[in-house]
Amino acid sequence: MELICPAGTPASLRTAVDAGADAIYCGFRNETNARNFPGLNFSPEELAEGVHYAHARGTKVLVAINTFPRAGALELWHKAVEDAVAAGADAFILCDIGLMAYAAERYPGTRLHVSVQAAAANPDAIRFYVERFNAKRVVLPRVLSVPEIAAITRASVCEVEVFVFGGLCVMAEGRCSLSSYATGLSPNMNGVCSPASHVSYENAGGTVVSRLGGFTINKFGSGESAAYPTLCKGRFRTELSTGYIFEDPVSLDAATLLPGLRDAGVTALKIEGRQRSRAYIENVVRSFREALSAMEQGRAIPAGMLLSMSEGQSNTLGAYRKTWR
């Protein structure tokens, strides 16, 4: 299985390559990618340099153009496709069917991967992308169990990629309106989920209150770690209990499930975290490279290797092993 690693900056790309990634995914410094944050991403020139660095070391580069183009601004997304080709990218990661049609018609020699933002979670949806746009790979949403993934791979005619570490989004990928409701900026069109410009922390009588766009997301007591405020990780208090309704502030870590994912027919394993540091990328990539080696050699895969890199220093298997209340 290929190890697909994030790169939010040229330095991160080099770190991931040197740590043993099989492929890197990254995006341009604009709203054509779903991690459109200040200080992140690549210019066309930086991408070309990154591709050259990666290819010289046997690593592929996949370019995420994984937001939905705005009406009247198609040229920006078309230019991203053209710049990726000019840089020598090995594949596009796309979610919008109009942009897929453009890329498939203009650049049939570049592989097309269906982004997780397209929310393709059944064989019929995947078959559509393969037949209409010659898609070579689909990135599955993080809402499927391992048996469900196995059923999809058996019925599909393209490669399957799944997330194995990092942020756990349990929304229908590409259909989240919560952040745009609170901030006026869409994760799916502007590429900004819970932008830092709309985040605030206030100390109120020894309690830290986190807010996004004026909405209170959480309150933390003395000594409690204050997580980053995203709407899907808000904490609620009822008469019965206090807890997280949509999603706990923890990280996905599916390292111990690698044999099951292999047996399910998964082609590629994706690490989330283009907004994370080079130290994060190096540690996560090296740990998963070691986990893959252990699996291939029949050794046990150690659990909790990356607890210090996880949100809230805790992790979950997410939907891979469903235990819904």
Side-chain angles (χ1 to χ4, degrees):
M1 295 182 287
E2 288 187 358
L3 189 57
I4 315 297
C5 305
T9 64
S12 294
L13 182 147
R14 294 189 293 271
T15 296
V17 170
D18 296 343
D22 293 309
I24 307 296
Y25 69 99
C26 55
F28 289 111
R29 198 173 291 135
N30 55 41
E31 59 193 289
T32 63
N33 90 88
R35 287 292 184 271
N36 181 26
F37 295 113
L40 289 185
N41 302 309
F42 291 68
S43 68
E45 296 75 21
E46 288 169 338
L47 179 64
E49 293 171 3
V51 169
H52 177 76
Y53 185 90
H55 283 179
R57 292 156 180 80
T59 305
K60 301 172 187 173
V61 176
L62 321 176
V63 178
I65 310 173
N66 58 342
T67 52
F68 296 90
R70 290 182 290 104
L74 282 172
E75 294 77 11
L76 181 62
W77 278 261
H78 289 175
K79 184 177 185 301
V81 168
E82 291 152 7
D83 287 342
V85 172
D90 296 282
F92 311 117
I93 306 174
L94 308 178
C95 63
D96 181 77
I97 58 174
L99 196 60
M100 289 184 192
Y102 178 85
E105 291 166 8
R106 296 292 186 94
Y107 305 105
T110 302
R111 284 172 58 101
L112 192 156
H113 294 184
V114 180
S115 170
V116 68
Q117 299 293 339
N122 64 72
D124 288 339
I126 295 168
R127 190 175 301 112
F128 169 79
Y129 292 114
V130 173
E131 293 176 354
R132 293 299 298 269
F133 310 117
N134 195 30
K136 300 298 185 184
R137 180 181 294 179
V138 59
V139 185
L140 295 181
R142 287 160 280 192
V143 295
L144 299 168
S145 66
V146 175
E148 288 168 338
I149 292 169
I152 288 172
T153 60
R154 286 195 299 268
S156 299
V157 291
C158 73
E159 300 170 356
V160 167
E161 182 175 315
V162 300
F163 284 88
V164 291
F165 191 84
L168 177 63
C169 179
V170 297
M171 300 301 163
E173 306 273 5
R175 308 289 187 269
C176 181
S177 298
L178 286 174
S179 180
S180 55
Y181 176 81
T183 68
L185 296 171
S186 167
N188 311 128
M189 297 180 71
N190 306 112
V192 280
C193 172
S194 306
S197 56
H198 291 67
V199 168
S200 68
Y201 296 91
E202 297 176 11
N203 194 316
T207 298
V208 174
V209 179
S210 65
R211 291 190 174 91
L212 178 70
F215 291 87
T216 296
I217 305 301
N218 215 331
K219 294 181 179 180
F220 304 93
S222 176
E224 192 177 5
S225 177
Y228 191 84
T230 56
L231 277 168
C232 57
K233 295 179 181 178
R235 186 156 51 172
F236 296 82
R237 179 182 293 120
T238 70
E239 294 177 354
L240 300 177
S241 65
T242 297
Y244 297 91
I245 303 299
F246 298 116
E247 180 183 351
D248 288 29
V250 300
S251 291
L252 172 68
D253 185 354
T256 56
L257 296 184
L258 293 183
L261 294 172
R262 175 199 57 197
D263 296 344
V266 168
T267 301
L269 308 168
K270 189 166 196 168
I271 295 168
E272 187 274 339
R274 282 191 281 156
Q275 73 279 23
R276 302 293 295 270
S277 69
R278 284 182 289 165
Y280 166 93
I281 289 172
E282 181 172 11
N283 284 334
V284 175
V285 174
R286 290 194 188 281
S287 292
F288 268 89
R289 180 55 66 204
E290 168 58 25
L292 286 169
S293 296
M295 180 185 69
E296 291 164 2
Q297 296 166 13
R299 295 185 283 114
I301 298 172
M305 294 184 299
L306 293 166
L307 208 56
S308 63
M309 296 285 123
S310 301
E311 185 175 355
Q313 283 69 60
S314 58
N315 52 45
T316 178
L317 291 172
Y320 289 134
R321 191 169 290 162
K322 288 180 177 173
T323 57
W324 308 139
R325 293 191 298 274

